[in-house]
């Protein structure tokens, strides 16, 4: 485990930032919100991979406006999930950090969108997820595949997907600030 992290740091509400040289195309410069972490498994959602598809295209009702989707990860692309910061409109969600909820009553979420009570700065929908078996995430963090940072509502909802990875690293400071400036392809530098 890197000096800066302990196993206790892996918990819901932590952002996993792919280290800049991670040689895995699926997770290149991703930022994953860790939603669950236990001795048996870990589960998270990629915050910075918007899809070209929209929720309207995968639901039968055509009364909704076009709802943007994100790729939550490579596991089970048939699962639709969401995070939000509006527990006043959507009940039953699990609070990950203060003010950030994973899941909840899906019909209430859709109704709030239809009624224009909630906008997409307060809710995000994901197809698929990122998952790890027992001990796998700990091994990846120990091998420096991921950089940990506590999530904030600003990171999750207000930062653009295109700039999220760089912004979080830059604001982390120190050597991470330098890493945030590395080009996507260092050979082009």
């Amino acid at each position: 485990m890197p000096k800066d992290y302990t196993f206790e740091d892996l918990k819901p509400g932590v952002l996993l930032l792919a280290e800049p040289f991670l040689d895995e195309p699926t997770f290149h410069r991703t930022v994953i919100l860790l939603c669950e972490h236990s001795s048996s498994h870990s589960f998270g959602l990629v915050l910075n991979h918007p899809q070209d598809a929209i929720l309207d295209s995968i639901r039968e009702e055509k009364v909704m406006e076009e709802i943007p989707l994100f790729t939550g990860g490579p596991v089970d692309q048939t699962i639709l999930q969401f995070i939000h910061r509006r527990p006043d409109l959507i009940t039953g969600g699990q609070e990950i950090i203060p003010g950030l909820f994973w899941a909840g009553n899906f019909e209430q979420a859709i109704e709030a969108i239809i009624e224009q009570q909630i906008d997409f700065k307060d809710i995000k929908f994901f197809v698929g997820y990122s998952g790890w078996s027992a001990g796998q995430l700990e091994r990846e963090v120990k091998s420096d595949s991921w950089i940990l940072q506590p999530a904030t509502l600003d990171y999750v909802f207000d930062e653009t997907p295109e700039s999220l990875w760089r912004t979080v690293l830059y604001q982390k400071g120190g050597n991470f600030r330098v890493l945030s400036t590395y080009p996507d392809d260092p050979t082009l530098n």
Side-chain angles (χ1 to χ4, degrees), residues 4-77:
D4 299 318
Y5 308 130
T6 66
F7 287 110
E8 290 76 37
D9 290 326
L10 286 172
K11 59 186 174 187
V14 166
L15 297 179
L16 306 171
L17 289 87
E19 67 90 18
F21 307 109
L22 183 65
D23 192 25
E24 166 58 49
T26 303
F27 293 110
H28 179 72
R29 300 210 172 179
T30 59
V31 178
I32 298 175
L33 172 66
L34 194 57
C35 297
E36 285 186 350
H37 179 71
S38 70
S39 60
S40 64
H41 72 281
S42 300
F43 159 84
L45 298 168
V46 176
L47 296 175
N48 60 335
H49 285 184
Q51 289 191 352
D52 292 331
I54 53 171
L55 184 58
D56 186 56
S57 67
I58 63 172
R59 296 251 319 167
E60 291 182 20
E61 303 89 11
K62 297 295 182 185
V63 296
M64 292 182 288
E65 61 182 280
E66 297 178 350
I67 298 174
L69 288 175
F70 288 79
T71 300
V75 182
D76 201 346
Q77 295 288 305

